[in-house]
Amino acid sequence: MANERLFSRAVVRVTPEDPAEDAAGFLQGLVTNDVTGELPAYAGLLTPQGKALFDFIVWPTGHGALLLDCEAEAAEDLVRRLSLYRLRRKIGIAVDPSLGVYWQAEVGDGGAADPRLPGLGQRWIAAVSDEDHSVDAEWQRHRLALGVPEGRAELGDVLWLETNAMELGGVSFSKGCYIGQENTARMNWRQKINRRLLVVPLNRSEEKRRKAAYPELGFAVDHLRVEDIPPALLPQWLELAEPSEGAD
């Protein structure tokens, strides 16, 4: 495999430290997606109100451990947040600096298709090397061109379904309880998703709705009312239902 590393990503290892412990079972009660089935899977850790705190991709590994492919800048915060829920359980939660996240735009041998969207290419986790070179700029350009937001700067404090997490495979409505599940499930049941997070051309961005801007790429990420979104701004993978009555 090539050494095309995303230095903007880090790997958090969640490890059972007792034969009776279960890393997947621990995360299952916390995150938005089913991590006991097919992996990798896209998931989020939310506030009790259902707003995004962290998003990440969950990977399988040996000895019952799981790996979280997350923002490097948020990795230590994610470790601290998960550790709050560990209580007395013998579960190890730590950044693993020996591992890195790697990416290629084309799907080939050796990696896995990004679970959010096939067009995002393939990624994999491997031991870091001095020969690694950064593809962060290429990844960011590729991701934004496909209209996929990620990370705290873009998703932070937005309701999980408003980030398009359902369309990007980041939520399970059958897995049982998790933090923020009640409001998330209610929004889905009532089909009440009145705002959406969208990647838009910078010259069409609304400053008061803007979460992030990338002038060098000509993109911004806006949090918009559904009724205000022109169809031309929607990515091909996103179809919107009519907003419910009483949208705020």
Side-chain angles (χ1 to χ4, degrees), residues 1 4 40 59 102-124 139 142 146:
M1 299 292 289
E4 296 167 325
W59 294 82
Y102 297 80
W103 172 77
Q104 291 177 341
E106 301 298 327
V107 175
D109 295 335
D114 193 299
R116 290 168 288 185
L117 197 69
L120 287 171
Q122 73 170 2
R123 55 205 294 142
W124 63 98
W139 161 248
H142 186 76
L146 288 173

Side-chain angles (χ1 to χ4, degrees), residues 14-170:
V14 182
T15 309
E17 296 180 336
D18 184 279
E21 286 290 0
D22 177 9
F26 168 69
L27 287 178
Q28 187 78 345
L30 301 176
V31 306
T32 62
N33 215 341
D34 185 355
V35 298
T36 65
E38 184 177 352
L39 298 177
Y42 179 55
L45 182 64
L46 312 183
T47 69
Q49 295 75 33
K51 294 184 177 182
L53 285 173
F54 305 93
D55 70 318
F56 40 81
I57 296 173
V58 184
W59 294 82
T61 189
H63 306 291
L66 292 175
L67 304 177
L68 309 184
D69 159 2
C70 65
E71 272 188 295
E73 291 184 355
E76 292 292 351
D77 287 344
L78 176 58
V79 168
R80 283 190 286 270
R81 176 67 65 159
L82 289 173
S83 297
L84 291 176
Y85 301 108
R86 179 174 49 188
L87 302 177
R88 296 180 180 274
R89 296 189 64 170
K90 295 180 180 180
I91 302 269
I93 306 170
V95 176
D96 188 338
S98 71
L99 298 177
V101 179
Y102 297 80
W103 172 77
Q104 291 177 341
E106 301 298 327
V107 175
D109 295 335
D114 193 299
R116 290 168 288 185
L117 197 69
L120 287 171
Q122 73 170 2
R123 55 205 294 142
W124 63 98
I125 292 176
V128 300
S129 166
D130 291 339
E131 297 180 1
D132 292 343
H133 62 275
S134 173
V135 289
D136 292 280
E138 294 90 334
W139 161 248
Q140 185 180 68
R141 185 182 305 111
H142 186 76
R143 174 179 66 81
L144 292 170
L146 288 173
V148 178
E150 73 173 14
R152 293 194 295 184
E154 298 173 16
L155 307 185
D157 204 36
V158 174
L159 290 165
W160 188 237
L161 295 189
E162 292 182 353
T163 71
N164 311 311
M166 182 164 57
E167 291 78 9
L168 294 170

